[in-house]
Amino acid sequence: MSLFDIVAGIFQGFGVTVTIAIYGLLYAIPFALIAGVLQHFSRGGYRLAVTAVIEFWRSSPAIVLLFVFYYTLPAFGIHLSAVTVGAMVLGMNTGGYGSQSVRAALQALDKGQSEAGLALGLSRFAVIRFIELPQAIVAMTPTFINEAIQLIKGTSLVSLIALTDMTFRAKEISELHYNPAGIYTGLLLAYLVICYPITIFGRALERHLGKGRRLADEF
């Protein structure tokens, strides 16, 4: 079996991999933004509660979370599809890391800007929405691109809950044609084909945002 045939066979699981990645991002991005903002601005017990939620998703191994949500929850009468579990676990796990990028970006902003917004009569929510968060998003975009790539690579774990993604297809091919070196090299190339263009896009976006920030600083 040629390397081309191996890669072609592996890409039969491409649809599942992409589906998990896209749905995972739909969990990751809102969770990262909301949790990061709340952790930065909340105080006392509220901050502890937000931090506890973030650390649960960020500090727990993704593979263990997959098993817990897919195999343990049904014992309590909660049944989630494999796609839902895969997307939610990988998305929230990635979002937990992303929330710290949001928090760090907000902390790095000049406090004078928010104070000026409040002095002009803007509400605290308006200051966050129109002044602080747009600047923080620009600063955290390169990190978010990296987290997206990590999420895509993490989709290889969903084969453990019987989803026929690219890794699952590689295992199937390996069972039919015993050639682990060639098959898993093909799997590596398949993920590289997916992730490397995103890396290039991220670098281009970072350069574009850098130019925009320099122009803004000049004015």
Side-chain angles (χ1 to χ4, degrees):
M1 193 174 189
S2 69
L3 184 59
F4 176 81
D5 292 332
I6 291 172
V7 173
I10 288 171
F11 264 99
Q12 291 179 12
F14 176 77
V16 173
T17 295
V18 171
T19 298
I20 297 297
I22 292 174
Y23 286 163
L25 288 174
L26 294 179
Y27 281 98
I29 295 173
F31 178 63
L33 290 174
I34 294 171
V37 169
L38 289 177
Q39 189 180 36
H40 176 65
F41 290 106
S42 60
R43 295 291 181 271
Y46 292 107
R47 185 186 179 95
L48 289 176
V50 172
T51 301
V53 172
I54 291 172
E55 291 305 321
F56 170 78
W57 290 106
R58 189 167 76 107
S59 301
S60 302
I63 188 172
V64 176
L65 290 171
L66 284 172
F67 288 147
V68 167
F69 279 88
Y70 189 69
Y71 293 110
T72 304
L73 288 185
F76 298 93
I78 301 173
H79 299 273
L80 301 175
S81 69
V83 171
T84 299
V85 170
M88 179 181 68
V89 167
L90 295 178
M92 298 294 278
N93 182 258
T94 301
Y97 288 101
S99 68
Q100 301 310 290
S101 299
V102 175
R103 179 182 58 81
L106 289 170
Q107 287 180 340
L109 295 177
D110 183 1
K111 294 183 179 180
Q113 297 183 57
S114 59
E115 293 172 353
L118 293 172
L120 290 173
L122 294 176
S123 66
R124 192 72 187 94
F125 177 75
V127 170
I128 296 171
R129 180 181 177 185
F130 297 112
I131 298 177
E132 295 180 318
L133 199 53
Q135 296 181 74
I137 289 175
V138 172
M140 71 182 75
T141 295
T143 302
F144 268 31
I145 295 293
N146 290 334
E147 294 294 340
I149 294 172
Q150 293 297 325
L151 174 58
I152 293 171
K153 292 188 292 186
T155 59
S156 61
L157 295 174
V158 300
S159 63
L160 298 173
I161 54 173
L163 280 172
T164 54
D165 69 320
M166 295 196 303
T167 302
F168 189 92
R169 287 291 300 143
K171 291 178 181 177
E172 285 186 329
I173 296 170
S174 179
E175 291 173 359
L176 293 173
H177 307 277
Y178 185 74
N179 179 17
I183 290 168
Y184 288 107
T185 298
L187 180 62
L188 175 63
L189 291 175
Y191 276 104
L192 185 62
V193 166
I194 297 173
C195 294
Y196 188 62
I198 300 175
T199 301
I200 295 174
F201 169 75
R203 291 172 182 169
L205 182 60
E206 187 173 357
R207 288 194 297 269
H208 175 73
L209 294 174
K211 290 179 181 178
R213 294 181 68 177
R214 286 193 294 272
L215 289 174
D217 291 339
E218 290 177 2
F219 286 100

